[in-house]
């Protein structure tokens, strides 16, 4: 009751504050920054935002944003913005060492402690010093040298050029090809399509030093930069350091960046977006328009953005509950802002099969219906109600920003060029504006979007499916037809169920609690239930004071006697559709009112459930779990929809390249093929009764419950007896997943569509899981990645992205390691030999100087993990699986000490063993694809 009264009082105070003003502030009143952000601007125009946070002592995060990206390049500067981001790290600024050398000398690792990224409209340099505020001076000076020194050389450019080519090569693929086509369609007429961030191979190979320096001279100016710093520092001292390091740079006039905007016309453009490896099947109608500057930071612009948000929400709701014709799987809407004044609204229809004409007519019809008829009051009120609830919750219980939250939100505000407000101010503005925004405002906004004459029609189909494009004239004729057709008003959503959802009654008889065992040191109890299940109870509050539940079952989709794909479908139909007698709306409403979360995830060997609820609603959580487990019948409509979806996905599987690669890699790693995909014949012959039988076998497998809650035992016991102890159980299921076969195997596939070679290497070594070894393997993984990147990228300049992963698997009781990189096909074997040599020599390169920082970092992380309920619950599960008791919780303080030199060296020799190593080389289809 006290919490409810506090929330109510906060809401009343918020209302009083809103009503206390004699008159609302004028629309051009600037938005206020969160007072915890210390803001400043140097005389040369460089802006900085500081947030002091000692939540993680000494930690520091610095991000320098330059408002210039690839779209700011001149026509003869393609790829220069991104090349400059690379070359900036060769800057010296008067120091004998360049920036990268200085950072690495201080123990920084690229990707972990320093990085950079370029996009269409900005470039960012991101620093997270390993020693935190100890490296403040080094970090600030390095950032200043990156953006202002410009003293890299032509030799540096030649040294880095192969790395950038490998980055370009690594980014090739179906996603890149489809994105390029979408950009060409959606941003046609603008500079975006010709100025991809990465550029192209020719531009990279021909880039000249003068072009990079000219771009830097024009855009890398202090008055075009924002520096964000979050961490443990003295604000006044930080201000002085920023002034000292950055204050001497000269500003320059920049002029408007009109290249960010879309040039509009009054035509309809038609594009095909299709690729042999893509499964996309869609028709999208895009409306491109100009709007007022959406990055203005005053009350009027804030209101305009709220209207945009509400209008899109209402439009989306209306599309969702309109009846769909056969061949149209979905109707959706998305709005995108480009630049400061350009907007794009996309109405999209998902297509089943080849019903693109039907989908196009659906879009044209719904566009006309939206334009012609008034919005439904129920949709408007629902959208406004959602915003109102969020705002009132923000006022009543504003969520505190932790360190990572400050970093993320300050960065988001910088990229969007907006004010980072106090959440309570955001809520007050939203509530004040909601009452003044009506259906007419939203209708006007939607009609403005839909009335644009600059339109793009975009069609896609899976793989090489024939996709004839209609002419623009033909589409205009259909447009005219629908503009003159008689259309009914939009169909109202199905009435919300006013009655309460069906009561969650126990569907299984009550059981009993048998043997109990207490582990006082860890605060854990074991309860054995009468149906054979176990409850492992960690007697402390879960995350945010809630009760956290985890359920562990042997019902993985590869259990003995199962057909894996069929077991997955049965599981999804039973656990991801509403309980019998419930509608989707009722289940959503019930979950929201009860505050209950429950989800399921099925893997090859396990079926796991994760749930949470306030302690007062634990009964509802357990009742919902029981209702899921005791379900006998699967919903007929959901069953048919699932089969239709599976048939549709099978029809889209045109990517023989990817499927062949995946199948070959599975066979190499396992020593045999362990997966059987469904055939169209198998799907057509599948019966619902068969799936129900499959599900009952899974539901009958005994489980272990892991509960984290400080609920008194006298309250927990009756809940366990009523909802858990009586669920019918049978025998545990045995895994049918075959063990990895020992030995060495390799294969070569010349099937890649891109001019690159990819190498996949994997090894395993049996080893019992224990926390100390798991920590050692994780640390060795970090060291191995650093060494591999230094050798293959830094020294050999042969790769851009490289990933080495290694884990002591508690599931399979072995060390699993995997290496992947891509490169120029002509260098693949050379780089593979270098990688083998690097991993083989890893034990010889380990010393106390390498391990000490990792030990210190692990100690810092462990302080947080020991206070993190989710980490503690996970470790309880690991401990119980390994030993049948919770000892890990009392021994976890010793983890940092596990990073001991000799133990690390011994384990490093087992990290990537040769006796159980498999290798896959994926090469281009044609020799000429090498260039």
């Amino acid at each position: 009751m006290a919490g409810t009264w506090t929330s109510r009082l906060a809401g009343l105070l918020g209302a009083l504050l809103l009503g206390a003003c004699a008159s609302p502030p004028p629309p051009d009143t600037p938005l206020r920054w969160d007072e915890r952000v210390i803001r400043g601007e140097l005389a040369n125009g460089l802006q900085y935002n500081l947030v002091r946070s000692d939540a993680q002592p000494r930690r520091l995060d610095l991000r320098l944003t330059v408002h210039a990206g690839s779209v700011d390049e001149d026509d003869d500067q393609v790829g220069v913005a991104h090349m400059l981001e690379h070359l900036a790290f060769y800057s010296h600024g008067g120091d004998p060492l360049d920036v990268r050398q200085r950072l690495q000398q201080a123990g920084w690792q690229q990707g972990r402690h320093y990085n950079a990224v370029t996009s269409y409209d900005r470039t960012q340099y991101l620093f997270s010093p390993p020693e935190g505020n100890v490296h403040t001076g080094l970090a600030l000076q390095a950032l200043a040298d990156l953006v202002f020194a410009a003293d890299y050389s032509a030799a540096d450019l030649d040294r880095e050029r192969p790395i950038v080519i490998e980055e370009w090569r690594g980014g090739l693929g179906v996603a890149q090809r489809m994105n390029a086509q979408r950009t060409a369609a959606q941003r046609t007429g603008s500079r975006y399509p010709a100025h991809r961030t990465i550029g192209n191979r020719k531009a990279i190979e021909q880039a000249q030093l003068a072009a990079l320096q000219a771009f830097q001279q024009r855009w890398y100016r202090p008055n075009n930069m924002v520096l964000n710093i979050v961490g443990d520092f003295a604000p006044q001292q930080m201000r002085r350091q920023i002034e000292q390091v950055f204050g001497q740079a000269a500003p320059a006039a920049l002029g408007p960046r009109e290249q960010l905007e879309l040039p509009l016309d009054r035509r309809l453009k038609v594009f095909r977006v299709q690729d042999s490896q893509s499964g996309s099947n869609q028709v999208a109608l895009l409306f491109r328009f100009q709007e007022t500057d959406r990055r203005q930071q005053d009350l009027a612009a804030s209101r305009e953005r709220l209207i945009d948000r509400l209008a899109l929400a209402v439009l989306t709701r209306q599309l969702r509950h309109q009846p769909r014709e056969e061949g149209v799987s979905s109707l959706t809407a998305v709005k995108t802002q480009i630049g400061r004044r350009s907007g794009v609204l996309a109405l999209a229809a998902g297509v089943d099969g080849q019903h693109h004409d039907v989908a196009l007519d659906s879009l044209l019809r719904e566009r006309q219906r939206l334009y012609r008829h008034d919005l439904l009051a129920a949709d408007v009120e629902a959208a406004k109600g959602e915003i109102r609830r969020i705002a009132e919750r923000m006022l009543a219980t504003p969520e505190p920003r932790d360190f990572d939250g400050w970093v993320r939100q300050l960065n988001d505000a910088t990229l969007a060029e907006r004010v980072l407000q106090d959440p309570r101010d955001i809520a007050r503005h939203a509530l004040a504006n909601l009452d003044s925004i009506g259906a007419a405002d939203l209708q006007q906004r939607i009609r403005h979007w839909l009335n644009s004459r600059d339109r793009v029609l975009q069609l896609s189909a899976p793989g090489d499916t024939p996709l004839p494009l209609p002419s623009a004239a033909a589409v205009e004729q259909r447009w005219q037809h629908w503009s003159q057709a008689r259309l009914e008003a939009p169909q109202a959503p199905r009435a919300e169920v006013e009655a309460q959802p069906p009561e969650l009654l126990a569907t299984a008889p009550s059981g009993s609690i048998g043997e109990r065992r207490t582990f006082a040191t860890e605060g854990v109890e074991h309860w054995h239930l009468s149906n054979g299940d176990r409850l492992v109870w960690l007697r402390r509050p879960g995350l945010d004071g809630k009760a956290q539940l985890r359920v562990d079952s042997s019902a993985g989709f590869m259990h003995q006697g199962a057909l894996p794909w069929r077991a997955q479908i049965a599981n999804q139909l039973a656990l991801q559709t509403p309980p019998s007698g419930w509608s989707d709306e009722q289940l959503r409403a019930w979950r929201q009112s009860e505050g209950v979360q429950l989800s399921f995830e099925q893997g090859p060997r396990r079926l796991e459930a994760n749930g949470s609820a306030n302690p007062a609603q634990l009964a509802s959580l357990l009742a919902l779990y029981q209702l899921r487990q005791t379900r006998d019948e699967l919903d007929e409509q959901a069953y048919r929809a699932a089969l239709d979806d599976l048939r549709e996905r099978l029809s889209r599987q045109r990517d023989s390249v990817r499927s062949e690669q995946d199948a070959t890699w599975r066979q190499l790693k396992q020593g045999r093929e362990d997966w059987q995909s469904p055939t169209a014949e198998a799907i057509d012959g599948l019966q619902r009764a068969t799936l129900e039988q499959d599900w009952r076998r899974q539901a009958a497998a005994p489980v272990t419950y892991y509960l984290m809650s400080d609920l008194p035992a006298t309250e927990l016991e009756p809940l366990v007896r009523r909802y858990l102890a009586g669920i019918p159980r049978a025998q545990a299921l045995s895994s049918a997943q075959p063990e990895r076969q020992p030995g060495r195997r390799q294969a070569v596939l010349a099937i890649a569509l891109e001019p690159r070679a990819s190498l996949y290497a994997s090894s395993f070594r049996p080893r019992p899981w224990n926390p100390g070894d798991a920590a050692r393997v994780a640390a060795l993984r970090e060291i191995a990645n650093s060494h591999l990147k230094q050798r293959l990228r830094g020294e050999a300049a042969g790769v851009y992205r490289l990933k080495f992963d290694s884990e002591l698997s508690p599931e399979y009781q072995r060390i699993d390691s995997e290496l992947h990189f891509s490169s120029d096909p002509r260098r693949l074997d050379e780089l593979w030999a270098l990688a083998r040599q690097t991993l083989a020599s890893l034990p010889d390169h380990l010393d106390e100087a390498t391990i000490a920082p990792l030990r210190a970092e692990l100690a810092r992380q462990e302080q947080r993990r020991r206070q993190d309920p989710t980490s503690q619950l996970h470790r309880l599960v690991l401990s119980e699986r390994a030993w049948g008791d919770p000892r890990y919780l009392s021994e976890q303080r010793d983890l940092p000490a596990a990073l001991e030199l000799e133990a690390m060296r011994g384990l490093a020799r087992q990290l990537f063993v040769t006796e159980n190593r498999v290798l896959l080389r994926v090469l281009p289809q044609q020799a000429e694809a090498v260039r």
Side-chain angles (χ1 to χ4, degrees):
M1 285 295 294
T4 302
W5 173 247
T6 303
S7 300
R8 192 176 299 160
L9 178 61
L12 290 172
L13 287 174
L16 287 173
L17 286 171
L18 287 170
C21 302
S23 60
D28 60 353
T29 301
L31 299 177
R32 294 190 309 169
W33 279 80
D34 190 310
E35 62 184 11
R36 291 165 290 185
V37 180
I38 303 167
R39 303 184 62 242
E41 183 173 328
L42 303 184
N44 59 15
L46 184 136
Q47 299 176 18
Y48 59 84
N49 303 306
L50 313 177
V51 175
R52 184 180 182 276
S53 171
D54 57 4
Q56 298 184 34
R58 292 175 46 187
R59 188 177 173 191
L60 206 62
D61 185 279
L62 307 92
R63 302 195 177 198
L64 181 61
T65 300
V66 184
H67 289 300
S70 61
V71 80
D72 297 298
E73 299 164 343
D74 291 336
D75 291 342
D76 60 350
Q77 291 180 329
V78 173
V80 160
H82 176 251
M83 289 285 288
L84 174 57
E85 171 222 302
H86 279 251
L87 265 291
F89 283 93
Y90 288 92
S91 302
H92 290 260
D95 195 285
L97 299 178
D98 64 36
V99 169
R100 179 180 282 105
Q101 291 168 336
R102 275 180 268 162
L103 298 179
Q104 291 178 344
Q105 187 180 65
W108 296 41
Q109 295 179 20
Q110 186 166 352
R112 182 175 182 180
H113 302 121
Y114 69 97
N115 213 336
V117 60
T118 304
S119 68
Y120 280 121
D121 61 350
R122 63 184 176 272
T123 306
Q124 277 197 302
Y125 298 91
L126 304 86
F127 282 10
S128 181
E131 296 296 323
N133 56 18
V134 174
H135 285 164
T136 300
L138 170 63
L140 290 174
Q141 189 59 58
L143 283 172
D145 290 341
L146 281 172
V147 295
F148 296 137
D151 55 0
Y152 41 81
S153 67
D156 296 327
L157 176 57
D158 290 339
R159 190 177 303 116
E160 191 68 13
R161 203 187 305 271
I163 298 295
V164 181
I165 289 175
E166 291 311 315
E167 182 178 0
W168 163 82
R169 194 193 309 274
L172 298 176
V174 59
Q176 170 266 318
R177 295 193 296 270
M178 290 292 286
N179 285 336
Q181 292 181 65
R182 291 190 185 102
T183 300
Q186 297 167 4
R187 306 191 182 196
T188 181
S190 73
R191 299 181 67 177
Y192 290 90
H195 288 266
R196 287 182 55 213
T197 299
I198 191 68
N200 55 63
R201 179 160 189 167
K202 181 179 178 181
I204 296 168
E205 291 177 334
Q206 297 181 357
Q208 298 299 308
L209 184 68
L212 274 67
Q213 292 174 330
F215 186 88
Q216 185 168 12
Q217 179 69 16
R218 180 177 180 184
W219 295 107
Y220 276 47
R221 295 294 189 164
N223 52 317
N224 199 33
M225 298 178 183
V226 180
L227 173 64
N228 292 337
I229 304 178
V230 178
D232 187 6
F233 56 82
Q236 291 306 316
Q237 181 181 355
M238 184 65 76
R239 283 178 180 265
R240 288 193 295 271
Q241 288 178 288
I242 292 171
E243 173 71 45
Q244 180 181 0
V245 174
F246 290 92
Q248 302 306 310
L254 297 168
R257 297 171 73 195
E258 288 302 317
Q259 59 271 24
L260 296 179
E261 309 302 328
L262 296 180
L264 304 181
D265 57 38
R266 297 180 59 82
R267 297 183 300 108
L268 171 70
K269 286 80 66 178
V270 182
F271 287 86
R272 177 189 289 109
V273 177
Q274 190 175 16
D275 188 272
S276 63
Q277 292 183 292
S278 171
S280 177
N281 203 16
Q282 188 186 71
V283 175
L285 186 58
L286 282 60
F287 300 87
R288 311 193 316 166
F289 43 82
Q290 286 190 340
E291 48 194 357
T292 57
D293 191 338
R294 285 300 187 263
R295 297 192 181 183
Q296 286 292 333
Q297 296 298 296
D298 55 28
L299 292 179
S302 178
R303 184 177 186 274
E304 292 299 307
R305 289 190 289 271
L306 182 57
I307 291 175
D308 281 354
R309 180 175 176 180
L310 288 167
L312 183 62
V314 172
L315 190 158
T316 300
R317 288 179 65 90
Q318 179 165 316
L319 288 175
R320 187 170 62 234
H321 53 242
Q322 297 312 301
R324 295 192 297 271
E325 296 188 46
E326 185 176 352
V328 178
S329 59
S330 63
L331 292 172
T332 56
V334 177
K335 181 179 180 292
T336 304
Q337 181 184 330
I338 298 172
R340 301 183 68 102
R341 304 184 309 279
S342 301
V344 178
L345 176 73
L347 304 183
V351 180
D352 291 334
Q354 294 180 272
H355 292 90
H356 295 79
D357 284 345
V358 176
L360 175 56
D361 275 330
S362 294
L363 292 178
L364 295 175
R365 181 184 63 243
E366 294 309 321
R367 180 266 171 197
Q368 189 62 30
R369 197 193 313 274
L370 283 160
Y371 189 82
R372 184 183 302 175
H373 291 285
D374 291 339
L375 300 173
L376 293 169
D379 285 341
V380 174
E381 289 309 310
K384 293 177 67 174
E386 183 177 352
I387 299 294
R388 189 180 303 279
R389 285 191 296 272
I390 294 172
E392 289 174 345
R393 187 166 64 246
M394 290 169 66
L395 271 180
T397 54
E399 294 184 7
R401 291 180 175 128
D402 58 11
F403 187 100
D404 294 322
W406 273 114
V407 171
R408 181 179 62 257
Q409 294 184 38
L410 193 59
N411 189 63
D412 290 346
T414 299
L415 299 184
E417 298 181 57
R418 61 174 172 81
V419 169
L420 179 58
Q421 301 177 77
D422 186 303
R424 290 165 295 188
D425 285 343
I426 297 173
R428 293 187 186 102
H429 295 325
L431 290 173
N433 283 322
L434 274 176
D435 292 333
S436 68
I437 297 174
D441 298 294
L442 307 186
Q443 186 87 60
Q444 182 181 20
R445 184 59 47 85
I446 291 173
R447 284 174 175 163
H448 168 69
W449 296 340
L450 297 178
N451 199 40
S452 173
R453 299 302 299 170
D454 187 313
R455 295 149 297 155
V456 175
L457 177 62
Q458 179 181 293
L459 297 92
S460 63
D464 295 321
T465 302
L467 180 60
L469 290 185
S471 67
V475 176
E476 292 283 13
Q477 285 183 347
R478 293 164 79 169
W479 186 289
Q480 290 302 316
H481 164 75
W482 287 110
S483 67
Q484 298 168 11
R486 182 179 179 275
L487 293 174
E488 300 291 338
Q491 180 171 307
R494 188 169 55 182
E496 296 292 339
V497 180
E498 295 181 3
Q500 290 295 318
E503 185 180 356
L504 277 180
L505 299 174
T507 54
S510 294
S512 59
I513 303 170
E515 179 187 351
R516 306 186 191 208
R517 185 181 179 189
T518 299
F519 299 85
T521 303
E522 294 85 4
V524 170
E525 292 189 21
H526 285 184
W527 294 359
H528 290 265
L529 311 185
S530 56
N531 62 349
D533 290 348
R534 295 172 64 240
L535 175 72
V536 179
W537 179 22
L538 179 56
R539 303 189 65 163
R540 66 178 79 168
L543 186 65
D544 298 328
K546 293 186 176 183
Q548 286 183 259
L549 177 70
R550 184 163 170 178
V551 189
D552 194 356
S553 158
S554 59
F557 59 77
M558 295 190 76
H559 61 266
Q560 198 73 42
L563 198 56
W565 65 267
R566 209 173 67 192
Q568 286 181 309
I569 296 176
N571 181 277
Q572 291 166 7
L573 289 175
L575 300 177
Q576 296 184 20
T577 57
S580 299
W582 290 55
S583 67
D584 289 321
E585 292 82 2
Q586 286 176 317
L587 182 58
R588 273 195 298 269
W590 181 85
R591 278 181 163 170
Q592 186 172 1
S593 65
E594 295 291 316
V596 166
Q597 297 293 329
L598 181 63
S599 61
F600 295 83
E601 182 175 354
Q602 189 178 36
R605 296 190 174 197
R606 296 182 187 276
L607 171 61
E608 296 177 328
N610 283 281
S612 67
N614 289 320
Q617 274 72 46
L618 180 58
S620 297
L621 172 62
L622 300 184
L624 179 60
Y625 172 79
Q626 186 202 72
L627 195 62
R628 294 292 203 189
Q629 288 290 286
T630 55
R631 180 176 196 161
D632 282 329
E633 294 183 350
L634 302 178
D635 182 80
E636 176 69 19
Q637 184 177 358
Y639 156 73
R640 294 191 178 279
L643 295 193
D644 288 343
D645 179 66
L646 193 55
R647 290 187 186 97
E648 176 68 16
R649 282 191 280 132
L650 276 178
S651 71
R652 296 187 186 189
Q653 285 185 355
R654 310 276 178 161
D655 183 7
S656 59
V657 171
R658 187 70 197 184
S659 59
E660 182 178 356
Q661 178 179 320
D662 290 346
T664 302
W665 186 227
R666 282 196 307 269
Q667 291 178 31
L668 281 174
K669 287 207 298 183
Q670 295 298 121
R672 68 186 77 171
E673 177 60 274
D674 61 358
W675 178 256
Q676 180 182 349
S677 297
T679 64
E681 293 76 17
I683 296 171
D684 291 339
L686 186 60
Q687 300 294 318
R688 191 183 70 171
T690 304
L691 291 178
E692 289 171 343
Q693 184 179 6
D694 289 344
W695 161 243
R696 284 192 284 271
R697 287 192 68 208
Q698 297 181 53
V703 306
T704 299
Y705 301 98
Y706 297 94
L707 177 67
M708 189 175 189
S709 174
D710 59 352
L711 199 70
T714 54
E715 295 182 28
L716 179 61
E717 289 175 3
L719 300 181
V720 171
R721 286 195 294 266
R722 181 182 183 191
Y723 295 114
L724 303 183
I727 297 175
R729 301 296 189 192
Q731 296 295 316
L733 299 175
S734 300
S735 173
Q737 184 180 25
E739 296 290 340
R740 286 186 66 169
Q741 297 300 301
R744 301 178 63 175
R745 297 176 290 276
Q746 62 179 315
V748 177
L749 294 177
I751 61 173
L753 303 181
E754 296 80 26
R756 70 162 178 249
S758 296
L759 183 135
Y760 301 84
S762 177
S763 79
F764 77 93
R765 179 72 174 265
R767 189 175 184 88
W769 179 89
N770 67 77
D773 276 352
R776 294 182 189 106
V777 171
L780 287 168
R781 177 181 64 223
E782 296 296 317
I783 297 171
N785 265 297
S786 178
H787 281 243
L788 286 165
K789 289 175 182 177
Q790 176 61 29
R791 297 293 304 280
L792 274 70
R793 176 178 174 172
E795 297 175 14
V799 305
Y800 176 72
R801 290 186 181 89
L802 175 149
K803 183 178 181 181
F804 177 76
D805 198 10
S806 190
E807 177 196 22
L808 178 54
S809 169
E811 184 76 24
Y812 298 103
Q813 300 290 305
R814 67 193 184 210
I815 300 175
D816 281 316
S817 298
E818 196 160 303
L819 171 68
H820 169 235
F821 64 82
S822 59
S823 72
D824 184 328
R826 294 167 298 189
R827 299 194 64 189
L828 189 68
D829 289 339
E830 166 205 345
L831 295 168
W832 166 228
L834 184 58
R836 294 199 310 273
Q837 180 191 37
T838 303
L839 290 169
S841 64
L842 189 63
D844 302 328
H845 289 89
L846 294 178
D847 54 31
E848 185 60 28
T850 302
I851 296 173
L854 294 174
R855 188 185 301 121
E857 175 65 15
L858 180 59
R860 186 183 70 80
Q861 293 174 355
E862 282 300 303
Q863 287 181 336
R864 184 172 70 252
R865 289 172 183 153
R866 288 196 296 271
Q867 302 302 317
D868 175 44
T870 302
S871 296
Q872 293 304 293
L873 182 59
H874 177 63
R875 288 180 173 181
L876 174 64
V877 174
L878 290 175
S879 187
E880 294 285 341
R881 287 178 181 173
W883 305 300
D885 61 52
R887 72 183 72 171
Y888 190 2
L889 298 186
S890 56
E891 297 175 357
Q892 58 186 325
R893 291 183 178 275
D894 300 329
L895 273 182
L899 303 191
E900 185 271 329
L901 181 57
E902 288 308 313
M904 295 277 284
R905 282 176 175 165
L907 207 52
R909 296 185 181 94
Q910 303 180 40
L911 204 63
F912 201 65
V913 295
T914 59
E915 60 265 29
N916 294 322
R917 191 166 66 202
V918 298
L919 179 67
L920 174 64
R921 295 176 176 89
V922 182
L923 306 177
Q925 289 181 353
Q926 301 173 348
E928 57 266 26
V930 169
R931 281 297 294 175

